[in-house]
């Protein structure tokens, strides 16, 4: 049975009212996505699509970080609706990254972890990035060094340090995600951490930490006594 357009409009008006009056806490996850999609697909009932997307990608975090190609393969998703999902993710990341950039990283560790979790916790392939800091520990560059498979993204100490020299970095933080969700470091994670730390030390570049992000949390190799 086709739902009359007036019913769609009334339902969306109620969602809009709750959103404006109570903020995001006023809507369930599927309602947030439903309303977002309604802006891109105004003449459709977007609730079934919102629920299907959340089920397919394992929740709102997995959905927002999903690759555009994966989103486009979902029935009912076109270029405009894919763009709506990705712009919401981009805005969220821009917001939390601004908190990181505003203060010295080591004095703003919680904001850094929030940013990294928002951007990396739900990626389905492994991604390695390097945060470059100046002498005041302010973030000067955040770069993805490599992307790999579901369980490996190779990174080489000489490449990390060469890039740090190019940028004039005083210190760096290694970061990568574990798509399995478990942030526990592997032997390879520990080995590359030590190689990067030793190479940097010879050139006056400090390795502050190696952070591993997973959907189950994060690990800090420095906190674990491995740096």
């Amino acid at each position: 049975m086709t739902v009359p357009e007036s019913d769609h409009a009334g339902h969306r008006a109620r969602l809009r009212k709750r959103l404006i009056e109570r903020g995001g806490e006023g809507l369930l996850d599927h309602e947030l996505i439903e309303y977002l999609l309604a802006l891109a697909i105004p003449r459709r009932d977007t609730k079934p699509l919102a629920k299907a997307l959340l089920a397919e990608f394992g929740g709102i975090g997995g959905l927002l970080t999903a690759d555009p190609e994966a989103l486009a393969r979902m029935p009912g998703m076109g270029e405009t609706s894919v763009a709506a999902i990705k712009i919401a993710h981009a805005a969220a990341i821009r917001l939390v990254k601004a908190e990181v950039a505003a203060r010295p990283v080591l004095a703003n560790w919680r904001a850094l972890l929030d940013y990294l979790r928002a951007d990396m916790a739900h990626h389905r392939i492994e991604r390695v990035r390097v945060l470059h800091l100046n002498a005041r520990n302010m973030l000067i560059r955040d770069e993805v060094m490599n992307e790999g498979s579901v369980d490996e993204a190779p990174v080489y100490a000489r490449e990390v340090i060469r890039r740090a020299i190019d940028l004039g970095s005083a210190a760096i933080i290694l970061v990568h995600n574990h798509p399995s969700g478990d942030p526990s470091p592997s032997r390879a994670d520990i080995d590359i951490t030590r190689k990067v730390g030793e190479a940097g030390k010879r050139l006056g570049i400090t390795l502050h930490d190696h952070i591993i992000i997973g959907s189950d949390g994060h690990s800090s190799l420095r906190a674990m006594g491995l740096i």
Side-chain angles (χ1 to χ4, degrees), residues 103-189:
R103 294 166 52 196
V105 168
L106 299 188
N108 200 21
W109 201 249
R110 177 52 55 189
L112 176 65
L113 293 176
D114 288 344
Y115 164 54
L116 295 174
R117 280 198 297 266
D119 196 33
M120 300 181 73
H122 299 280
H123 278 299
R124 296 189 175 188
I125 62 171
E126 191 165 301
R127 173 179 289 176
V128 178
R129 70 202 302 168
V130 181
L131 308 181
H132 294 268
L133 312 178
N134 64 17
R136 296 186 298 120
N137 288 319
M138 299 292 290
L139 183 67
I140 57 174
R141 190 69 65 91
D142 174 4
E143 292 188 335
V144 174
M145 287 290 295
N146 209 350
E147 292 185 338
S149 63
V150 296
D151 59 2
E152 184 178 6
V155 63
Y156 302 100
R158 65 181 179 274
E159 295 178 359
V160 173
I161 299 304
R162 183 185 300 123
R163 184 59 175 156
I165 292 171
D166 290 345
L167 293 172
S169 307
I172 57 175
I173 298 172
L174 293 178
V175 187
H176 81 280
N177 63 303
H178 280 180
S180 68
D182 179 2
S184 303
S186 67
R187 172 50 56 185
D189 296 335

Side-chain angles (χ1 to χ4, degrees), residues 36 60-61 63-66 83-96 115 117-120 123 127:
L36 176 63
I60 198 164
L63 173 58
L64 292 181
T65 57
I85 297 294
K86 298 316 298 179
I87 197 66
H89 180 235
I93 295 301
R94 193 72 59 88
L95 175 64
V96 291
Y115 164 54
R117 280 198 297 266
D119 196 33
M120 300 181 73
H123 278 299
R127 173 179 289 176

Side-chain angles (χ1 to χ4, degrees), residues 38-101:
L39 300 176
I41 319 171
R43 300 186 187 282
R44 277 182 52 192
D45 176 7
T46 53
K47 182 187 289 187
L49 179 55
K51 290 185 173 181
L53 287 167
L54 291 169
E56 174 67 19
F57 294 101
I60 198 164
L63 173 58
L64 292 181
T65 57
D67 291 331
E69 295 81 5
L71 291 170
R73 287 194 291 269
M74 288 291 293
M77 290 292 287
E79 187 176 77
T80 302
S81 49
V82 169
I85 297 294
K86 298 316 298 179
I87 197 66
H89 180 235
I93 295 301
R94 193 72 59 88
L95 175 64
V96 291
K97 187 175 182 179
E99 293 291 321
V100 174

